Amino acid sequence: MNYDEWFESKLEELKREGNYRVFADLERYKGNFPSARSHKDGKQSDVTVWCSNDYLGMGQNPKVLKAMHDALEECGAGAGGTRNISGTNHYHVLLEEELADLHRKDSALLFTSGYVSNWAALSTLGARLPNCVILSDSMNHASMIEGIRHSRAEKKLWNHNDVSDLERKLAECDANAPKIVAFESVYSMDGDIAPISDICDVAEKYGAMTYLDEVHAVGLYGKRGGGISERDGVADRVTLIEGTLGKAYGVLGGYITGSKGLCDFIRSFASGFIFTTALPPAAAAGALASIKHLKESEIERAAQKRQVNLLRGKLDASGIPHLENPSHIVPVMIKDPIKCKRISDWLLEDYGIYVQPINYPTVPKGTERLRITPSPVHSDADIDYLVGSIAELWSQCALARIVA
């Protein structure tokens, strides 16, 4: 078998379908987000980034940068090992305490990313709890799916955000078997939000643990940035809350929070925690500063909500279809992989606007989109320019508009 020839044939299939992924080569300008420098074919140009998960611009926040600089000077670059072998820095300990407080839990545990925290926690719980059944929302993130698959536990899919279907699936389970209901708060592609309280009602009725992924909500919702579970006043009812430090908090890392016994169990048995090098102290220090700031400041959240609403209103006025949802994520629906990629390329090359096309397998075929994430540091003029540019290309590609 000619392995390279086979690899190339599969890549060509992706390109023909419009699903081949090309990474934009960017340099973010410190202190001037969302502006960045784009590198392509040996040329440089300035662009405005519209698809970052640094939802509040905290990756540029002076408090965060100072904390990271200070920690770098104090501790050097890396952690130096796994958490068990010399890699537990005092910033890790402080950050875990801050995260536990954020979600009003007894304990927290850091991971190198949100993907790893989901994979490690779900795989460990599913594998170690005897005869465990994991009930997974059908739209859960790939990291949750992989964790459940790796656990080899019995899995039941329930229809997305459908509490009645969840109850039917729970009722089918052995009453004495351990059960985990795994779901997200804000779903990153459609931007819809889970009915957490109703899910907890059903899970409690059947004696199931609840596992909530808040990665697209922490920092953004709730009085202190604790996510949708804090906003809705139900965090105390959720068994395990998982989150990330790489989106609204603007740094790097993932985590879980829960009871002391639960977090210690994951710490003691999860290979994805035990055998990997710890986060650099500077990253932990930056995340710590970001969380502390957003616990006290509503400025960033309020400004972001304003810009999200402004963008949606202007898209409506231009007849550009976008999914209605109650979150900060604005999916502009193109529904064609070739046109989606083409519009994204033209926006970058001709208008200085960077928004990544979202195609299969991230979203189902026929639902291709531009996933736009307005932030507090996008100006009103930025929004006007974005909508005007999309409207021009919409006409060029003969895409349908919504008539009010």
Side-chain angles (χ1 to χ4, degrees):
M1 180 178 186
N2 185 321
Y3 296 105
D4 280 340
E5 186 177 279
W6 188 86
F7 297 149
E8 291 296 335
S9 70
K10 294 302 174 184
L11 293 171
E12 285 302 319
E13 286 180 20
L14 283 179
K15 292 174 183 177
R16 285 195 299 272
E17 295 167 355
N19 293 325
Y20 181 74
R21 301 181 185 210
V22 177
F23 298 156
D25 183 354
L26 303 176
E27 286 181 74
R28 302 213 304 177
Y29 290 126
K30 188 184 96 169
N32 198 29
F33 180 79
S35 296
R37 179 185 293 117
S38 174
H39 295 259
K40 186 174 183 181
D41 300 328
K43 298 178 181 178
Q44 301 179 15
S45 60
D46 288 341
V47 300
T48 302
V49 178
W50 277 100
C51 54
S52 174
N53 285 339
D54 185 357
Y55 293 129
L56 299 176
M58 291 301 292
Q60 307 289 320
N61 184 278
K63 291 181 182 177
V64 174
L65 298 182
K66 182 179 185 305
M68 296 184 74
H69 278 293
D70 290 348
L72 189 62
E73 292 299 323
E74 292 167 8
C75 304
T82 66
R83 290 288 297 277
N84 186 52
I85 304 176
S86 82
T88 296
N89 186 276
H90 189 52
Y91 283 111
H92 298 132
V93 176
L94 294 175
L95 178 53
E96 286 174 339
E97 291 173 353
E98 195 72 27
L99 287 164
D101 176 77
L102 174 67
H103 295 293
R104 307 296 194 194
K105 299 295 185 185
D106 295 334
S107 191
L109 190 66
L110 281 173
F111 292 84
T112 50
S113 72
Y115 190 104
V116 174
S117 55
N118 268 334
W119 179 88
L122 281 167
S123 65
T124 301
L125 290 169
R128 294 278 178 169
L129 285 167
N131 303 313
C132 181
V133 181
I134 302 179
L135 297 102
S136 177
D137 185 286
S138 62
M139 295 295 288
N140 275 344
H141 188 261
S143 58
M144 301 175 79
I145 295 168
E146 285 300 314
I148 295 166
R149 179 182 296 140
H150 186 75
S151 76
R152 299 187 179 180
E154 181 183 351
K155 179 181 77 171
K156 289 179 178 286
L157 283 180
W158 49 286
N159 296 334
H160 179 52
N161 280 346
D162 185 340
V163 180
S164 296
D165 189 52
L166 171 61
E167 180 158 18
R168 283 192 292 272
K169 299 290 170 53
L170 278 166
E172 296 170 357
C173 298
D174 181 343
N176 297 316
K179 295 171 281 290
I180 301 170
V181 176
F183 61 107
E184 301 180 41
S185 58
V186 177
Y187 287 82
S188 64
M189 290 300 127
D190 287 356
D192 53 339
I193 294 177
I196 301 175
S197 180
D198 293 342
I199 291 170
C200 287
D201 287 343
V202 173
E204 289 163 2
K205 178 179 176 180
Y206 290 88
M209 293 173 56
T210 41
Y211 184 110
L212 174 61
D213 177 321
E214 286 260 40
V215 297
H216 290 279
V218 289
L220 296 165
Y221 300 90
K223 184 174 178 59
R224 305 189 310 152
I228 299 296
S229 57
E230 183 192 32
R231 185 199 71 176
D232 293 353
V234 294
D236 61 313
R237 299 178 63 192
V238 178
T239 311
L240 185 154
I241 296 176
E242 183 267 350
T244 184
L245 305 168
K247 293 183 170 57
Y249 290 123
V251 192
L252 174 72
Y255 64 88
I256 62 166
T257 64
S259 69
K260 182 177 179 181
L262 172 57
C263 291
D264 198 13
F265 179 83
I266 301 297
R267 183 189 70 87
S268 300
F269 289 102
S271 63
F273 175 83
I274 296 169
F275 297 107
T276 193
T277 300
L279 282 175
L288 179 63
S290 186
I291 293 166
K292 285 184 173 181
H293 175 80
L294 289 174
K295 278 182 176 178
E296 302 294 332
S297 175
E298 285 284 350
I299 295 171
E300 293 81 6
R301 287 189 281 274
Q304 189 213 34
K305 289 175 185 175
R306 178 189 181 276
Q307 299 310 85
V308 169
N309 290 334
L310 181 62
L311 173 61
R312 285 189 172 132
K314 289 184 179 293
L315 288 170
D316 287 339
S318 295
I320 305 298
H322 60 99
L323 282 184
E324 293 291 340
N325 63 54
S327 77
H328 57 283
I329 294 165
V330 183
V332 170
M333 304 305 292
I334 297 175
K335 301 182 180 181
D336 179 289
I338 303 297
K339 290 182 179 179
C340 191
K341 177 68 165 61
R342 186 179 299 154
I343 288 174
S344 173
D345 288 345
W346 284 343
L347 284 171
L348 183 61
E349 294 165 8
D350 300 334
Y351 295 86
I353 290 171
Y354 173 50
V355 54
Q356 187 72 9
I358 307 295
N359 291 347
Y360 179 83
T362 305
V363 295
K365 291 181 179 180
T367 68
E368 294 80 11
R369 66 198 65 183
L370 301 176
R371 177 184 177 273
I372 301 174
T373 53
S375 76
V377 289
H378 286 100
S379 69
D380 292 6
D382 289 334
I383 291 174
D384 286 337
Y385 181 64
L386 171 69
V387 174
S389 302
I390 292 175
E392 286 183 19
L393 294 177
W394 215 260
S395 297
Q396 289 184 37
C397 289
L399 290 167
R401 294 179 188 252
I402 295 175
V403 179

